[in-house]
Amino acid sequence: MGRIVVTEFISLDGVVQAPGGEDFRYKDWTFEFDRGDEGEQFKTDEALGAEALLLGRVTYEGFAAAWPDYEGELADKYNGMRKYVVSSTLTDPTWNNTQVISGDVATEVARLKDAVDGELQVAGSIQLAQALLEHDLVDELHLMTFPVLLGTGRRLFVDTPDRTRWRLTESRTVGEGVLITLFERDRA
């Protein structure tokens, strides 16, 4: 059985919108901070540890437009690994090893979670991440919190139907005060 890991760049006030692209008042806001070598290595190791990517359409299109043009270990991983994109509009994905998931997100992702052995990594994909949290399908949260209040923008955490408990498994500060926290869903 697979594990779903949501990984996000997030501000102190919970904004996850446009950390490295997309039209937004504070576009590329994460680039204002140096994550340091340790922060860069964390993101590389995180990606290399994933079995597959599970993305929303907007994030998928951004990744698919960028990663095929890069070279190196991380690019090889992203370009070669299995990718699942949740979309009701995308019908003909062009990025290597991509499968479209449509229909009821909770049902289809639960099926996928049963079928994939290893980590299904959800990078960005705000709407998808929120739906997975709402349906209690997320096993881990990896948050890279940047020391900034943006005041506006789409936030990761919105109202959910019930309370859930999480256990902090790791925390460290890297670069210019960027906090990395890893949480596991506490199902006890």
Side-chain angles (χ1 to χ4, degrees):
M1 178 177 226
R3 290 180 359 268
I4 294 180
V5 176
V6 170
T7 179
E8 300 285 349
F9 293 137
I10 190 166
S11 70
L12 289 173
D13 53 348
V15 175
V16 291
Q17 183 174 351
E22 171 183 342
D23 189 27
F24 175 56
R25 181 177 178 183
Y26 301 114
K27 180 179 178 178
D28 298 334
W29 55 271
T30 61
F31 293 121
E32 297 172 16
F33 301 91
D34 181 4
R35 298 186 300 214
D37 291 341
E38 189 178 357
E40 296 301 326
Q41 191 61 53
F42 169 79
K43 292 307 289 180
T44 298
D45 292 346
E46 179 184 59
L48 294 176
E51 180 65 28
L53 287 174
L54 174 61
L55 303 171
R57 183 192 49 81
V58 172
T59 301
Y60 168 81
E61 288 175 346
F63 276 38
W67 282 106
D69 294 333
Y70 287 101
E71 294 181 358
E73 183 180 29
L74 189 55
D76 291 345
K77 175 68 174 185
Y78 277 145
N79 290 321
M81 73 192 310
R82 290 180 292 159
K83 293 164 277 292
Y84 302 93
V85 58
V86 176
S87 177
S88 60
T89 58
L90 184 65
T91 56
D92 189 24
T94 57
W95 196 14
N96 184 41
N97 293 332
T98 298
Q99 177 181 332
V100 176
I101 296 173
S102 57
D104 180 69
V105 173
T107 302
E108 295 302 317
V109 171
R111 252 188 235 138
L112 181 61
K113 192 173 173 179
D114 285 339
V116 173
D117 187 26
E119 182 179 307
L120 288 158
Q121 190 174 95
V122 180
S125 306
I126 302 167
Q127 186 176 352
L128 173 60
Q130 290 170 337
L132 297 174
L133 286 164
E134 178 183 345
H135 293 286
D136 200 18
L137 291 168
V138 178
D139 298 291
E140 291 182 40
L141 289 168
H142 293 186
L143 304 176
M144 186 173 267
T145 305
F146 290 79
V148 62
L149 295 170
L150 295 175
T152 187
R154 293 176 60 202
R155 288 168 168 74
L156 175 61
F157 301 108
V158 294
D159 289 342
T160 56
D162 204 357
R163 176 181 119 156
T164 56
R165 288 184 55 117
W166 297 82
R167 184 171 42 89
L168 179 66
T169 59
E170 183 181 335
S171 68
R172 58 183 147 150
T173 304
V174 297
E176 295 179 330
V178 177
L179 178 63
I180 297 172
T181 51
L182 279 58
F183 294 91
E184 282 185 357
R185 175 69 170 89
D186 185 352
R187 299 192 189 277

